[in-house]
Amino acid sequence: MPESPRHSVSVAGITVRGDGRILAVRRADNDTWEPPGGLLELDEQPQTGVVREVFEETRIKVGVRQLTGVYKNMTLGVVALVFRCKPTAGTERTSSESTAVEWLTLDEVRERMSEVFAVRVLDALDRNGPHVRSHDGKRLIPAG
């Protein structure tokens, strides 16, 4: 049975290392590669939530640079705020939410992540945002 809509807000951090590699996690619950992130707490500011989520999932501390995109999963009703971040401290390691944490090249991002997550990384790197996109959980939905 499909999950019912819940209209919530999530955050994700596109953390870019000095060599251009991007921090990614393989989620424990569905085995997919994604930028680290999760649901924003009710009393939490978006930038604070990004820092918390990236650290919880990867043990990497980040500085938040800027909002690069807003993405709505039209099927679940989840709005994701995505920020470009810079690593400031820590050594990557898995958590209860991740089975792998790696610094990926852009080619690896394109290979491992589904379209709806890879586009968030690409949008964060092109610096022409913030971008606003909708998707059905698997594919982008054309604006219109």
Side-chain angles (χ1 to χ4, degrees):
M1 183 169 172
E3 202 171 337
S4 61
R6 58 177 180 259
H7 215 258
S8 60
V9 178
S10 69
V11 291
I14 308 301
T15 305
V16 184
R17 210 164 60 176
D19 63 3
R21 287 181 175 257
I22 294 98
L23 186 63
V25 298
R26 187 173 56 216
R27 291 177 45 142
D29 61 349
N30 62 16
D31 207 38
T32 61
W33 283 94
E34 298 178 11
L39 289 177
L40 195 60
E41 301 292 334
L42 190 59
D43 62 348
E44 188 174 44
Q45 294 182 11
Q47 295 90 329
T48 305
V50 170
V51 170
R52 175 185 56 78
E53 283 289 344
V54 172
F55 184 75
E56 282 177 3
E57 293 183 12
T58 69
R59 290 301 183 237
I60 299 293
K61 293 182 180 179
V62 298
V64 177
R65 295 294 185 230
Q66 73 182 66
L67 177 72
T68 59
V70 177
Y71 305 85
K72 183 168 184 184
N73 182 322
M74 301 299 284
T75 305
L76 296 179
V78 177
V79 174
L81 306 175
V82 180
F83 295 85
R84 187 170 52 246
C85 301
K86 180 178 181 181
T88 59
T91 302
E92 62 276 353
R93 68 173 201 256
T94 59
S95 71
S96 61
E97 298 177 55
S98 59
T99 59
V101 177
E102 292 184 25
W103 293 94
L104 304 180
T105 65
L106 269 181
D107 284 343
E108 290 169 330
V109 165
R110 288 183 189 101
E111 290 167 12
R112 296 185 192 184
M113 290 186 189
S114 69
E115 177 183 56
V116 297
F117 293 104
V119 74
R120 297 173 192 200
V121 174
L122 298 172
D123 285 352
L125 297 177
D126 80 6
R127 300 185 186 267
N128 289 323
H131 298 271
V132 179
R133 300 185 190 270
S134 298
H135 63 89
D136 63 8
K138 293 184 173 39
R139 296 262 178 224
L140 293 175
I141 298 170

